[in-house]
Amino acid sequence: ENTYSWGYLRLVKNKINKINKINNSELSLANLESESLSEIVSKKFNISMEEYNQKKSIFIESVIRNFKSMIAINPTDEFLFIYLPTKFSFSNKQENLYARYITPNLNPLDLHIIEADYRSSLIKSLNKLDHLKTYDLADKGSSDWFYDESHYTIKGHQEISKLIYPIFSNSLET
């Protein structure tokens, strides 16, 4: 029990427990209420909307740059971008909030709002590129499609396959 390894394992276990543990008394209904994007940004990120939009743009520009590079290398090819659902993207009616992983200062409803804003901006930017077809499937799904916020169950994989098969099939035919 006094070995370095044991102490390290105990330290890691305590940190993981602190990260994953949600104290229900701290997670009041007020913390679970959905706010507007600007309220989330100002109150929970403590930054201005201008700074938030600049940070969001950095991520989006990175994705755009990557697609532009692929298109430049293969200018005669067509590309697909399929935005798949996550547990917090498919619905604003979030379930089982107390048992889900909550990031510090954010809850799944906040994440739904932030993700929707990012997705909308990303797809709008991607739609401006030639040779790229975009598909937004983020609003598809149900809670039984997910193990956690972003990993699919077997049912989720099956349902996603049903959604993307026609997209790939149509793309290969043209």
Side-chain angles (χ1 to χ4, degrees), residues 5 13 46 50 68 76 84 90-91 93 115 134-135 141:
S5 298
K13 182 181 175 192
N46 296 317
E50 181 181 0
K68 283 182 175 180
T76 59
L84 297 176
F90 77 87
S91 174
K93 294 180 179 20
E115 184 277 335
T134 60
Y135 297 87

Side-chain angles (χ1 to χ4, degrees), residues 159-173:
E159 297 300 322
I160 290 294
S161 296
K162 290 176 191 174
L163 291 171
I164 64 174
Y165 178 79
I167 295 169
F168 282 105
S169 184
N170 289 337
S171 294
L172 293 172
E173 289 174 7

Side-chain angles (χ1 to χ4, degrees), residues 61-159:
E61 288 168 8
S62 174
V63 174
I64 299 297
R65 192 171 42 253
N66 289 337
F67 271 103
K68 283 182 175 180
S69 296
M70 288 187 285
I71 292 168
I73 293 169
N74 304 291
T76 59
D77 293 340
E78 295 293 319
F79 293 85
L80 293 175
F81 179 86
I82 303 173
Y83 197 104
L84 297 176
T86 61
K87 196 168 189 174
F88 49 80
S89 74
F90 77 87
S91 174
N92 64 354
K93 294 180 179 20
Q94 299 293 308
E95 300 173 358
N96 198 19
L97 293 173
Y98 287 108
R100 289 170 63 187
Y101 175 78
I102 308 291
T103 58
N105 208 26
L106 294 173
N107 64 58
L109 297 173
D110 297 335
L111 295 173
H112 173 77
I113 292 168
I114 295 164
E115 184 277 335
D117 174 64
Y118 168 77
R119 175 175 25 99
S120 173
S121 298
L122 174 65
I123 290 174
K124 183 178 177 180
S125 295
L126 288 170
N127 281 336
K128 295 176 184 175
L129 298 178
D130 292 331
H131 304 287
L132 178 66
K133 293 180 182 175
T134 60
Y135 297 87
D136 182 1
L137 304 180
D139 63 344
K140 310 293 184 217
S142 66
S143 58
D144 62 347
W145 286 22
F146 301 95
Y147 284 114
D148 56 25
E149 301 307 308
S150 61
H151 295 95
Y152 296 110
T153 61
I154 291 172
K155 180 180 180 179
H157 281 284
Q158 292 167 341
E159 297 300 322

